């Protein structure tokens, strides 16, 4: 996220935008609620495209994650944000109809409303263009491998 982007502030009870937009720093300082997306990328073998966070990340450095995503900024819908994050983080540009809404959850501990999406990718991970500031490496992992880790 660039420093110029403003995050949508949402109502804690409904998850609906309040019309207010603030910087990430202001959001955390004032303990405001926002929206985020998670995109789970699957293949026909039942594997999940996972990624490892860079070692210099403030939160969970070097940790593996099962999804891509990020905060929703001013003027974006959940779907627009998910499509943008997928393209930014791994260079995967998909059509909106290829992004399947799964669930929306309220996470009080993080003060977020998160919409989860699923999409399918059958390409080679070597063809993906990783955003180095967000992703160190990617790998296909089975649900069993994820649970064992």
């Amino acid at each position: 996220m660039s420093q110029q982007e403003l995050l949508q502030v949402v109502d804690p009870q409904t998850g609906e935008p309040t019309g207010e937009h603030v910087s990430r720093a202001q959001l955390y300082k004032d303990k405001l609620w926002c929206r985020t997306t998670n995109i789970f990328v699957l293949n026909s073998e039942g594997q999940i495209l996972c990624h490892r966070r860079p070692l210099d990340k403030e939160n969970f450095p070097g940790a593996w994650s099962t999804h891509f995503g990020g905060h929703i900024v001013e003027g974006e819908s959940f779907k627009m944000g998910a499509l943008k994050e997928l393209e930014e983080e791994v260079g995967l540009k998909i059509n909106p109809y290829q992004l399947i809404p799964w669930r929306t959850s309220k996470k009080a501990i993080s003060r977020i409303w998160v919409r989860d999406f699923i999409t399918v990718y059958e390409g080679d991970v070597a063809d993906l263009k990783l955003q180095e500031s967000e992703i160190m490496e990617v790998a296909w992992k089975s649900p069993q491998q994820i649970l064992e880790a």
Side-chain angles (χ1 to χ4, degrees):
M1 183 181 90
S2 76
Q3 291 180 315
Q4 287 73 31
E5 290 181 318
L6 297 176
L7 303 179
Q8 288 181 5
V9 176
V10 299
D11 181 277
Q13 300 307 312
T14 66
E16 292 300 314
T18 64
E20 184 179 5
H21 302 91
V22 298
S23 68
R24 182 184 296 253
Q26 190 70 39
L27 184 91
Y28 292 135
K29 178 181 172 275
D30 292 346
K31 298 183 178 181
L32 300 170
W33 282 70
C34 66
R35 288 178 165 180
T36 66
T37 61
N38 292 333
I39 307 100
F40 295 85
V41 181
L42 312 174
N43 67 17
S44 59
E45 295 178 32
Q47 297 172 314
I48 301 167
L49 185 62
C50 297
H51 74 276
R52 188 168 177 216
R53 295 170 59 84
L55 298 174
D56 62 353
K57 291 299 281 185
E58 182 179 337
N59 296 317
F60 308 107
W64 281 91
S65 179
T66 58
H67 58 273
F68 304 91
H71 289 84
I72 302 298
V73 299
E74 181 178 11
E76 279 184 339
S77 66
F78 277 119
K79 186 171 259 194
M80 288 169 54
L83 291 166
K84 177 192 75 176
E85 291 292 339
L86 202 53
E87 186 171 1
E88 283 178 359
E89 292 183 0
V90 288
L92 188 55
K93 185 169 182 156
I94 62 171
N95 291 314
Y97 66 85
Q98 293 173 287
L99 194 62
I100 312 298
W102 176 18
R103 64 186 175 192
T104 303
S105 306
K106 178 181 178 180
K107 309 237 184 234
I109 195 163
S110 303
R111 293 182 307 281
I112 60 171
W113 280 86
V114 59
R115 169 105 14 112
D116 294 326
F117 293 92
I118 298 171
T119 194
V120 175
Y121 174 66
E122 295 295 343
D124 190 331
V125 294
D127 296 335
L128 297 173
K129 293 176 179 60
L130 307 184
Q131 183 182 19
E132 292 178 11
S133 63
E134 296 291 328
I135 297 176
M136 197 161 121
E137 62 182 304
V138 293
W140 288 111
K141 295 183 182 264
S142 70
Q144 189 63 35
Q145 288 173 310
I146 293 166
L147 290 172
E148 288 172 359

